[in-house]
Amino acid sequence: MEISHAFYKTDLGYVLLGHDGKGICFLQLGDTQKELLCILQTTYKNATLKQMTPTQEKKFAVLVKNLVAGKGKGNAKITLSAQGTPFQEKVWRYLEKIPVGKTRSYTDVAKAIKQPKAVRAVAGACAANRVGLLIPCHRILRSDGDFSGYRWGRNRKVTLLKREGIA
């Protein structure tokens, strides 16, 4: 597998976007490029990594800008290549349908996917999300409305929710 990637500097830190030729397989936030590249390498141990061409990088720059601004994907036509367990993929498909500016609880998600007792597993699926912002796990809150944790930091989650008009 070959993954082309690009870094984007944002006010939330760096974003690293990876594309495996089929679709976006990696989109994560971090404090340093080195940290993010290490996560990409660890996640895809057998992949060959290469820097995106300037044309590819430009193609995704608007998408990243919109996501970080709290606008969602906008009109961007993107293909995801996020792979997980059947349960994780079921959760992720549901999360993709949550509109910008709306939230759900982990309990809501578990009920919606017809597995009401799988609340902790839903939280685990959110934590395993490799394409943050595209699969908007930041829109999932605790049942009591608390923002709870976020893989990329509570402050980033709160900022994203504020930008979507939620917090």
Side-chain angles (χ1 to χ4, degrees):
M1 172 188 282
E2 184 175 276
I3 298 175
S4 56
H5 64 279
F7 291 99
Y8 301 90
K9 177 75 172 134
T10 76
D11 64 341
L12 293 178
Y14 286 97
V15 172
L16 177 57
L17 184 144
H19 194 284
D20 66 7
K22 297 179 207 163
I24 297 172
C25 62
F26 190 91
L27 189 125
Q28 297 196 17
L29 298 157
D31 295 325
T32 67
Q33 291 182 7
K34 184 177 179 181
E35 165 198 4
L36 287 168
L37 191 57
C38 183
I39 294 168
L40 179 62
Q41 289 169 325
T42 302
T43 303
Y44 295 97
K45 290 178 176 74
N46 297 320
T48 302
L49 305 179
K50 69 174 192 167
Q51 186 68 35
M52 281 187 183
T53 66
T55 303
Q56 290 172 310
E57 202 169 317
K58 274 186 181 178
K59 174 183 171 184
F60 293 115
V62 173
L63 172 67
V64 170
K65 183 178 177 183
N66 283 337
L67 290 169
V68 169
K71 297 177 182 176
K73 293 184 268 189
N75 294 328
K77 302 270 188 219
I78 59 145
T79 303
L80 291 180
S81 183
Q83 298 175 355
T85 66
F87 179 82
Q88 289 170 336
E89 290 179 7
K90 187 182 218 182
V91 170
W92 297 341
R93 281 192 302 276
Y94 179 81
L95 297 182
E96 285 182 277
K97 294 176 187 171
I98 300 172
V100 171
K102 301 293 181 187
T103 61
R104 303 290 185 274
S105 71
Y106 295 102
T107 302
D108 293 336
V109 176
K111 288 177 182 175
I113 64 167
K114 310 274 190 262
Q115 294 189 257
K117 295 182 180 185
V119 176
R120 286 183 185 222
V122 167
C126 289
N129 177 9
R130 294 178 183 167
V131 287
L133 304 178
L134 287 170
I135 296 175
C137 54
H138 65 280
R139 295 184 189 140
I140 308 303
L141 309 177
R142 288 187 354 192
S143 294
D144 64 5
D146 185 77
F147 295 145
S148 69
Y150 185 53
R151 181 179 184 172
W152 297 287
R154 183 181 167 96
N155 289 341
R156 285 185 177 118
K157 181 173 187 167
V158 170
T159 299
L160 289 165
L161 292 173
K162 282 181 180 177
R163 289 176 182 176
E164 291 187 17
I166 297 168

PDB file of all heavy atoms in Angstrom, residues 92-116:
ATOM      1  N   TRP A  92     -19.341   4.551  12.505  1.00  0.00           N
ATOM      2  CA  TRP A  92     -18.815   5.635  11.682  1.00  0.00           C
ATOM      3  C   TRP A  92     -19.819   6.070  10.626  1.00  0.00           C
ATOM      4  O   TRP A  92     -19.954   7.274  10.350  1.00  0.00           O
ATOM      5  CB  TRP A  92     -17.501   5.227  11.031  1.00  0.00           C
ATOM      6  CG  TRP A  92     -16.398   4.938  11.999  1.00  0.00           C
ATOM      7  CD1 TRP A  92     -16.313   5.332  13.323  1.00  0.00           C
ATOM      8  CD2 TRP A  92     -15.221   4.183  11.753  1.00  0.00           C
ATOM      9  NE1 TRP A  92     -15.155   4.866  13.882  1.00  0.00           N
ATOM     10  CE2 TRP A  92     -14.465   4.152  12.950  1.00  0.00           C
ATOM     11  CE3 TRP A  92     -14.727   3.514  10.645  1.00  0.00           C
ATOM     12  CZ2 TRP A  92     -13.241   3.490  13.055  1.00  0.00           C
ATOM     13  CZ3 TRP A  92     -13.515   2.863  10.744  1.00  0.00           C
ATOM     14  CH2 TRP A  92     -12.781   2.852  11.934  1.00  0.00           C
ATOM     15  N   ARG A  93     -20.514   5.134   9.992  1.00  0.00           N
ATOM     16  CA  ARG A  93     -21.536   5.503   8.991  1.00  0.00           C
ATOM     17  C   ARG A  93     -22.621   6.361   9.639  1.00  0.00           C
ATOM     18  O   ARG A  93     -23.105   7.320   9.039  1.00  0.00           O
ATOM     19  CB  ARG A  93     -22.143   4.263   8.339  1.00  0.00           C
ATOM     20  CG  ARG A  93     -21.255   3.659   7.258  1.00  0.00           C
ATOM     21  CD  ARG A  93     -21.981   2.608   6.427  1.00  0.00           C
ATOM     22  NE  ARG A  93     -22.500   1.504   7.217  1.00  0.00           N
ATOM     23  CZ  ARG A  93     -21.806   0.427   7.595  1.00  0.00           C
ATOM     24  NH1 ARG A  93     -20.558   0.293   7.225  1.00  0.00           N
ATOM     25  NH2 ARG A  93     -22.379  -0.530   8.303  1.00  0.00           N
ATOM     26  N   TYR A  94     -22.993   5.997  10.862  1.00  0.00           N
ATOM     27  CA  TYR A  94     -23.996   6.805  11.562  1.00  0.00           C
ATOM     28  C   TYR A  94     -23.451   8.209  11.855  1.00  0.00           C
ATOM     29  O   TYR A  94     -24.136   9.208  11.641  1.00  0.00           O
ATOM     30  CB  TYR A  94     -24.440   6.120  12.862  1.00  0.00           C
ATOM     31  CG  TYR A  94     -25.454   6.955  13.607  1.00  0.00           C
ATOM     32  CD1 TYR A  94     -26.798   6.943  13.235  1.00  0.00           C
ATOM     33  CD2 TYR A  94     -25.066   7.801  14.641  1.00  0.00           C
ATOM     34  CE1 TYR A  94     -27.726   7.748  13.884  1.00  0.00           C
ATOM     35  CE2 TYR A  94     -25.985   8.605  15.292  1.00  0.00           C
ATOM     36  CZ  TYR A  94     -27.314   8.571  14.909  1.00  0.00           C
ATOM     37  OH  TYR A  94     -28.227   9.370  15.546  1.00  0.00           O
ATOM     38  N   LEU A  95     -22.224   8.293  12.346  1.00  0.00           N
ATOM     39  CA  LEU A  95     -21.633   9.582  12.695  1.00  0.00           C
ATOM     40  C   LEU A  95     -21.552  10.504  11.478  1.00  0.00           C
ATOM     41  O   LEU A  95     -21.755  11.715  11.606  1.00  0.00           O
ATOM     42  CB  LEU A  95     -20.238   9.403  13.290  1.00  0.00           C
ATOM     43  CG  LEU A  95     -20.132   8.630  14.606  1.00  0.00           C
ATOM     44  CD1 LEU A  95     -18.683   8.600  15.079  1.00  0.00           C
ATOM     45  CD2 LEU A  95     -21.030   9.175  15.671  1.00  0.00           C
ATOM     46  N   GLU A  96     -21.269   9.940  10.317  1.00  0.00           N
ATOM     47  CA  GLU A  96     -21.173  10.748   9.094  1.00  0.00           C
ATOM     48  C   GLU A  96     -22.488  11.444   8.767  1.00  0.00           C
ATOM     49  O   GLU A  96     -22.493  12.466   8.089  1.00  0.00           O
ATOM     50  CB  GLU A  96     -20.775   9.874   7.906  1.00  0.00           C
ATOM     51  CG  GLU A  96     -19.336   9.466   7.890  1.00  0.00           C
ATOM     52  CD  GLU A  96     -19.015   8.643   6.661  1.00  0.00           C
ATOM     53  OE1 GLU A  96     -19.256   7.425   6.676  1.00  0.00           O
ATOM     54  OE2 GLU A  96     -18.531   9.250   5.683  1.00  0.00           O
ATOM     55  N   LYS A  97     -23.596  10.905   9.259  1.00  0.00           N
ATOM     56  CA  LYS A  97     -24.917  11.473   8.961  1.00  0.00           C
ATOM     57  C   LYS A  97     -25.319  12.583   9.929  1.00  0.00           C
ATOM     58  O   LYS A  97     -26.324  13.249   9.716  1.00  0.00           O
ATOM     59  CB  LYS A  97     -25.962  10.364   8.990  1.00  0.00           C
ATOM     60  CG  LYS A  97     -25.765   9.340   7.886  1.00  0.00           C
ATOM     61  CD  LYS A  97     -26.748   8.208   8.009  1.00  0.00           C
ATOM     62  CE  LYS A  97     -26.415   7.116   7.006  1.00  0.00           C
ATOM     63  NZ  LYS A  97     -27.201   5.917   7.209  1.00  0.00           N
ATOM     64  N   ILE A  98     -24.554  12.790  10.987  1.00  0.00           N
ATOM     65  CA  ILE A  98     -24.887  13.854  11.941  1.00  0.00           C
ATOM     66  C   ILE A  98     -24.539  15.188  11.296  1.00  0.00           C
ATOM     67  O   ILE A  98     -23.383  15.433  10.949  1.00  0.00           O
ATOM     68  CB  ILE A  98     -24.128  13.681  13.267  1.00  0.00           C
ATOM     69  CG1 ILE A  98     -24.472  12.340  13.914  1.00  0.00           C
ATOM     70  CG2 ILE A  98     -24.457  14.842  14.221  1.00  0.00           C
ATOM     71  CD1 ILE A  98     -23.619  12.001  15.119  1.00  0.00           C
ATOM     72  N   PRO A  99     -25.527  16.062  11.140  1.00  0.00           N
ATOM     73  CA  PRO A  99     -25.259  17.333  10.461  1.00  0.00           C
ATOM     74  C   PRO A  99     -24.380  18.276  11.277  1.00  0.00           C
ATOM     75  O   PRO A  99     -24.342  18.202  12.504  1.00  0.00           O
ATOM     76  CB  PRO A  99     -26.645  17.949  10.277  1.00  0.00           C
ATOM     77  CG  PRO A  99     -27.632  17.014  10.856  1.00  0.00           C
ATOM     78  CD  PRO A  99     -26.913  15.888  11.507  1.00  0.00           C
ATOM     79  N   VAL A 100     -23.714  19.157  10.574  1.00  0.00           N
ATOM     80  CA  VAL A 100     -22.944  20.219  11.216  1.00  0.00           C
ATOM     81  C   VAL A 100     -23.897  20.975  12.144  1.00  0.00           C
ATOM     82  O   VAL A 100     -25.031  21.264  11.785  1.00  0.00           O
ATOM     83  CB  VAL A 100     -22.350  21.184  10.158  1.00  0.00           C
ATOM     84  CG1 VAL A 100     -21.733  22.404  10.819  1.00  0.00           C
ATOM     85  CG2 VAL A 100     -21.339  20.466   9.289  1.00  0.00           C
ATOM     86  N   GLY A 101     -23.418  21.251  13.355  1.00  0.00           N
ATOM     87  CA  GLY A 101     -24.231  22.004  14.308  1.00  0.00           C
ATOM     88  C   GLY A 101     -25.144  21.152  15.171  1.00  0.00           C
ATOM     89  O   GLY A 101     -25.907  21.673  15.972  1.00  0.00           O
ATOM     90  N   LYS A 102     -25.069  19.844  15.039  1.00  0.00           N
ATOM     91  CA  LYS A 102     -25.901  18.926  15.834  1.00  0.00           C
ATOM     92  C   LYS A 102     -25.001  17.967  16.597  1.00  0.00           C
ATOM     93  O   LYS A 102     -23.885  17.667  16.158  1.00  0.00           O
ATOM     94  CB  LYS A 102     -26.848  18.112  14.944  1.00  0.00           C
ATOM     95  CG  LYS A 102     -27.795  18.945  14.124  1.00  0.00           C
ATOM     96  CD  LYS A 102     -28.796  19.656  15.004  1.00  0.00           C
ATOM     97  CE  LYS A 102     -29.767  20.465  14.155  1.00  0.00           C
ATOM     98  NZ  LYS A 102     -30.640  21.296  14.944  1.00  0.00           N
ATOM     99  N   THR A 103     -25.483  17.482  17.727  1.00  0.00           N
ATOM    100  CA  THR A 103     -24.731  16.502  18.502  1.00  0.00           C
ATOM    101  C   THR A 103     -25.629  15.316  18.830  1.00  0.00           C
ATOM    102  O   THR A 103     -26.854  15.388  18.696  1.00  0.00           O
ATOM    103  CB  THR A 103     -24.217  17.095  19.833  1.00  0.00           C
ATOM    104  OG1 THR A 103     -25.329  17.504  20.628  1.00  0.00           O
ATOM    105  CG2 THR A 103     -23.261  18.250  19.599  1.00  0.00           C
ATOM    106  N   ARG A 104     -24.993  14.259  19.265  1.00  0.00           N
ATOM    107  CA  ARG A 104     -25.675  13.070  19.772  1.00  0.00           C
ATOM    108  C   ARG A 104     -24.878  12.603  20.979  1.00  0.00           C
ATOM    109  O   ARG A 104     -23.711  12.927  21.130  1.00  0.00           O
ATOM    110  CB  ARG A 104     -25.704  11.933  18.725  1.00  0.00           C
ATOM    111  CG  ARG A 104     -26.342  12.258  17.403  1.00  0.00           C
ATOM    112  CD  ARG A 104     -27.856  12.425  17.524  1.00  0.00           C
ATOM    113  NE  ARG A 104     -28.476  12.611  16.227  1.00  0.00           N
ATOM    114  CZ  ARG A 104     -28.612  13.780  15.602  1.00  0.00           C
ATOM    115  NH1 ARG A 104     -28.151  14.872  16.158  1.00  0.00           N
ATOM    116  NH2 ARG A 104     -29.201  13.866  14.438  1.00  0.00           N
ATOM    117  N   SER A 105     -25.505  11.786  21.790  1.00  0.00           N
ATOM    118  CA  SER A 105     -24.783  11.172  22.906  1.00  0.00           C
ATOM    119  C   SER A 105     -24.325   9.784  22.466  1.00  0.00           C
ATOM    120  O   SER A 105     -24.833   9.226  21.480  1.00  0.00           O
ATOM    121  CB  SER A 105     -25.683  11.061  24.139  1.00  0.00           C
ATOM    122  OG  SER A 105     -26.684  10.074  23.939  1.00  0.00           O
ATOM    123  N   TYR A 106     -23.392   9.229  23.232  1.00  0.00           N
ATOM    124  CA  TYR A 106     -22.952   7.863  22.954  1.00  0.00           C
ATOM    125  C   TYR A 106     -24.151   6.914  23.036  1.00  0.00           C
ATOM    126  O   TYR A 106     -24.277   5.996  22.234  1.00  0.00           O
ATOM    127  CB  TYR A 106     -21.865   7.440  23.955  1.00  0.00           C
ATOM    128  CG  TYR A 106     -20.591   8.229  23.835  1.00  0.00           C
ATOM    129  CD1 TYR A 106     -20.303   9.252  24.733  1.00  0.00           C
ATOM    130  CD2 TYR A 106     -19.668   7.964  22.831  1.00  0.00           C
ATOM    131  CE1 TYR A 106     -19.127   9.984  24.625  1.00  0.00           C
ATOM    132  CE2 TYR A 106     -18.495   8.691  22.720  1.00  0.00           C
ATOM    133  CZ  TYR A 106     -18.233   9.706  23.626  1.00  0.00           C
ATOM    134  OH  TYR A 106     -17.068  10.429  23.515  1.00  0.00           O
ATOM    135  N   THR A 107     -25.038   7.167  23.987  1.00  0.00           N
ATOM    136  CA  THR A 107     -26.252   6.355  24.146  1.00  0.00           C
ATOM    137  C   THR A 107     -27.151   6.483  22.919  1.00  0.00           C
ATOM    138  O   THR A 107     -27.685   5.480  22.429  1.00  0.00           O
ATOM    139  CB  THR A 107     -27.015   6.776  25.421  1.00  0.00           C
ATOM    140  OG1 THR A 107     -26.149   6.619  26.541  1.00  0.00           O
ATOM    141  CG2 THR A 107     -28.263   5.944  25.625  1.00  0.00           C
ATOM    142  N   ASP A 108     -27.319   7.702  22.416  1.00  0.00           N
ATOM    143  CA  ASP A 108     -28.128   7.923  21.206  1.00  0.00           C
ATOM    144  C   ASP A 108     -27.590   7.102  20.039  1.00  0.00           C
ATOM    145  O   ASP A 108     -28.350   6.490  19.284  1.00  0.00           O
ATOM    146  CB  ASP A 108     -28.118   9.398  20.784  1.00  0.00           C
ATOM    147  CG  ASP A 108     -28.819  10.325  21.753  1.00  0.00           C
ATOM    148  OD1 ASP A 108     -29.689   9.877  22.518  1.00  0.00           O
ATOM    149  OD2 ASP A 108     -28.469  11.536  21.738  1.00  0.00           O
ATOM    150  N   VAL A 109     -26.273   7.123  19.891  1.00  0.00           N
ATOM    151  CA  VAL A 109     -25.656   6.393  18.783  1.00  0.00           C
ATOM    152  C   VAL A 109     -25.897   4.891  18.947  1.00  0.00           C
ATOM    153  O   VAL A 109     -26.293   4.209  17.994  1.00  0.00           O
ATOM    154  CB  VAL A 109     -24.141   6.695  18.676  1.00  0.00           C
ATOM    155  CG1 VAL A 109     -23.491   5.847  17.579  1.00  0.00           C
ATOM    156  CG2 VAL A 109     -23.907   8.179  18.417  1.00  0.00           C
ATOM    157  N   ALA A 110     -25.684   4.379  20.157  1.00  0.00           N
ATOM    158  CA  ALA A 110     -25.881   2.946  20.406  1.00  0.00           C
ATOM    159  C   ALA A 110     -27.318   2.538  20.072  1.00  0.00           C
ATOM    160  O   ALA A 110     -27.549   1.501  19.436  1.00  0.00           O
ATOM    161  CB  ALA A 110     -25.541   2.618  21.859  1.00  0.00           C
ATOM    162  N   LYS A 111     -28.281   3.353  20.475  1.00  0.00           N
ATOM    163  CA  LYS A 111     -29.693   3.051  20.169  1.00  0.00           C
ATOM    164  C   LYS A 111     -29.958   3.125  18.670  1.00  0.00           C
ATOM    165  O   LYS A 111     -30.655   2.285  18.110  1.00  0.00           O
ATOM    166  CB  LYS A 111     -30.607   4.014  20.914  1.00  0.00           C
ATOM    167  CG  LYS A 111     -30.671   3.760  22.407  1.00  0.00           C
ATOM    168  CD  LYS A 111     -31.550   4.799  23.091  1.00  0.00           C
ATOM    169  CE  LYS A 111     -31.577   4.580  24.594  1.00  0.00           C
ATOM    170  NZ  LYS A 111     -32.328   5.647  25.295  1.00  0.00           N
ATOM    171  N   ALA A 112     -29.391   4.134  18.034  1.00  0.00           N
ATOM    172  CA  ALA A 112     -29.632   4.337  16.593  1.00  0.00           C
ATOM    173  C   ALA A 112     -29.102   3.196  15.744  1.00  0.00           C
ATOM    174  O   ALA A 112     -29.664   2.893  14.693  1.00  0.00           O
ATOM    175  CB  ALA A 112     -29.018   5.664  16.140  1.00  0.00           C
ATOM    176  N   ILE A 113     -28.020   2.568  16.194  1.00  0.00           N
ATOM    177  CA  ILE A 113     -27.466   1.450  15.417  1.00  0.00           C
ATOM    178  C   ILE A 113     -28.027   0.109  15.899  1.00  0.00           C
ATOM    179  O   ILE A 113     -27.527  -0.939  15.538  1.00  0.00           O
ATOM    180  CB  ILE A 113     -25.923   1.445  15.430  1.00  0.00           C
ATOM    181  CG1 ILE A 113     -25.379   1.221  16.835  1.00  0.00           C
ATOM    182  CG2 ILE A 113     -25.374   2.713  14.782  1.00  0.00           C
ATOM    183  CD1 ILE A 113     -23.904   0.890  16.888  1.00  0.00           C
ATOM    184  N   LYS A 114     -29.060   0.201  16.736  1.00  0.00           N
ATOM    185  CA  LYS A 114     -29.801  -0.985  17.218  1.00  0.00           C
ATOM    186  C   LYS A 114     -28.967  -1.877  18.133  1.00  0.00           C
ATOM    187  O   LYS A 114     -29.124  -3.081  18.160  1.00  0.00           O
ATOM    188  CB  LYS A 114     -30.345  -1.807  16.045  1.00  0.00           C
ATOM    189  CG  LYS A 114     -31.100  -1.017  15.000  1.00  0.00           C
ATOM    190  CD  LYS A 114     -32.540  -0.870  15.379  1.00  0.00           C
ATOM    191  CE  LYS A 114     -33.377  -0.305  14.259  1.00  0.00           C
ATOM    192  NZ  LYS A 114     -33.627   1.087  14.329  1.00  0.00           N
ATOM    193  N   GLN A 115     -28.058  -1.242  18.888  1.00  0.00           N
ATOM    194  CA  GLN A 115     -27.266  -1.964  19.885  1.00  0.00           C
ATOM    195  C   GLN A 115     -27.205  -1.112  21.156  1.00  0.00           C
ATOM    196  O   GLN A 115     -26.143  -0.610  21.527  1.00  0.00           O
ATOM    197  CB  GLN A 115     -25.872  -2.283  19.339  1.00  0.00           C
ATOM    198  CG  GLN A 115     -25.948  -3.268  18.187  1.00  0.00           C
ATOM    199  CD  GLN A 115     -24.589  -3.767  17.760  1.00  0.00           C
ATOM    200  OE1 GLN A 115     -24.054  -3.338  16.745  1.00  0.00           O
ATOM    201  NE2 GLN A 115     -24.033  -4.661  18.553  1.00  0.00           N
ATOM    202  N   PRO A 116     -28.357  -0.958  21.818  1.00  0.00           N
ATOM    203  CA  PRO A 116     -28.470  -0.013  22.926  1.00  0.00           C
ATOM    204  C   PRO A 116     -27.540  -0.266  24.107  1.00  0.00           C
ATOM    205  O   PRO A 116     -27.263   0.651  24.877  1.00  0.00           O
ATOM    206  CB  PRO A 116     -29.939  -0.122  23.348  1.00  0.00           C
ATOM    207  CG  PRO A 116     -30.415  -1.413  22.806  1.00  0.00           C
ATOM    208  CD  PRO A 116     -29.600  -1.678  21.577  1.00  0.00           C
TER     209      PRO A 116
END
